[in-house]
Amino acid sequence: MKNLLLTLLFFISTSAIPLVAQRTPPSLDCKPKMQPNVQYNLRQAQIALTENKVAVYYVVPKDAEYVQAEYDAIRNATRDIQAWFQINTGGVTYTFAFPDTVMVYRALENTSYYQDSWFFKITDEMAAQGHPIWQPGIVASLWIKSGRADGLGEGMQACDGYCGVATTAVENFPEFNYFNRCPTDPNGIMWPCVPHGTMAHELGHAFGLPHPDEVDSTREFAFHSIMRAHWNYPNGAPDNLRPWGLLTVERTTLWANPFFYEDISLKQIYDADIVNLPVTGSPPAVSFTSSINNLTVDFSNSTEDAVLYYWTFGDGSGSNEESPTHTYSSPGTYTVTLRASSESGMTAMQQQTIEVTDKKKPVAKTIHVGPIKIYPNPSTDGRFTVTFPPLPFTFRLLVHDAMGQPILDQTLSGSSRSLELDLNSFGQGVYYVRLEMRGARLTQRLVVL
Ligand SMILES: [Zn+2]
């Protein structure tokens, strides 16, 4: 594998964003405690180093309290960000190192010890403890319970592109910023209270993306990128910053990144702008048709000059196949989107609304009314065949509709063998057939579809 930690490609912080007045933090007098269901061991941390993966940690200092709601928010944010990358790259994203997505790391020191350099102190400590930090094959995503009112946001790539670390603080979540640092005014300063955008931005650094305003060729479009305006995540960019997401060159950089894969199945929750800035060629002309058969839809892709396809089916699932077949789990109207990208990263999309139904053909059965058989039931054309064995007596056959209105009243001799009953002209619905013989009355339900 590649050299470990020999090159630190860059180290960039988002702390240049202006700070607003900080209120007095409440005292940290909670006793550290650990939920028994998140007692991971180191062995789990060392499992999956054969592929390039993202290892997500919830880092809790010795004197801080593990909070289940924080853990849950980190797990949800982590999955959101994975989906965000998939849709904004046009169809590729990373996978996670740990089966439960987020591992808890209990830091060895108290919060105050790390305050002057969370990033280096915690990564040194975790690496020394055997966690896969700065190891080729792992980008670590650390959500740190930092004790900092203004949160954290730092990211770095190393190992010649085969490892990296991204950090964001638990305090970046507005609901966990116990310093009341997050604005309630939606037009207020959003930093640090944009945890998803911050982690996605820092992961961008860990995957090798620079700030686009620090590169000549992208300076002009920098604010259209999450690598500059991360607070717009996932799609809150004002009109003058639209389209917003990943720039063309950021997209193609991630395509070449060893952590990014096609065919990652996840719940796709976002739609997203397509950013073709800077212009690197012509976008593909995207087109497709769909053929619907009950809940299953065959898509036929006629797009030309594309190297990457990404379909979202409107039910949360997606596919990188060129012409996929998709089966919906329930009937409904869905918006299907195909994103297609050219070799140079120019992307275009096409949407189509489809309606799928679940017309299960009911199984036609024979019903028995005494010795008499009626087939098929239900009937799709209103016709029923009534058959009966030789009987030594006459009997009466009556049919009425669901409202009790008589339709047929016929007396049949015992030598009859069959009768064609045609309810077609009475329409779809439920009918009742009644048989009267020798004082007995037998009733059965008939259905016309
Ligand atoms: Zn940055």
Side-chain angles (χ1 to χ4, degrees), residues 313-350:
F313 300 115
D315 62 350
S317 57
S319 170
N320 285 116
E321 280 181 48
E322 189 172 336
S323 293
T325 294
H326 183 64
T327 300
Y328 290 88
S329 60
S330 57
T333 303
Y334 298 94
T335 300
V336 177
T337 305
L338 169 59
R339 288 174 164 75
S341 305
S342 72
E343 201 167 347
S344 61
M346 294 290 282
T347 297
M349 72 177 199
Q350 187 66 250

Side-chain angles (χ1 to χ4, degrees), residues 72-122:
D72 293 342
I74 290 166
R75 192 173 51 189
N76 290 339
T78 285
R79 291 172 180 173
D80 274 18
I81 296 164
Q82 182 197 26
W84 186 90
F85 272 104
Q86 189 177 48
I87 204 152
N88 279 277
T89 56
V92 295
T93 193
Y94 46 85
T95 57
F96 296 116
F98 307 134
D100 293 331
T101 309
V102 183
M103 181 174 290
V104 179
Y105 178 71
R106 291 301 311 215
L108 301 180
E109 308 288 343
N110 289 338
T111 308
S112 59
Y113 164 80
Y114 303 99
Q115 287 300 8
D116 58 335
S117 178
W118 260 112
F119 190 88
F120 287 111
K121 283 183 169 173
I122 198 65

Side-chain angles (χ1 to χ4, degrees), residues 159-221:
C159 313
D160 288 336
Y162 282 86
C163 74
V165 173
T167 63
T168 300
V170 170
E171 289 80 1
N172 287 66
F173 286 97
E175 63 271 40
F176 306 127
N177 192 300
Y178 306 109
F179 306 93
N180 295 319
R181 180 70 168 63
C182 291
T184 48
D185 172 10
N187 299 314
I189 294 173
M190 286 160 286
W191 177 261
C193 305
V194 283
H196 302 70
T198 304
M199 181 53 89
H201 174 111
E202 303 306 341
L203 281 171
H205 289 320
F207 294 129
L209 300 180
H211 288 151
D213 50 318
E214 291 164 3
V215 177
D216 285 346
S217 60
T218 50
R219 186 170 294 122
E220 189 185 344
F221 323 108

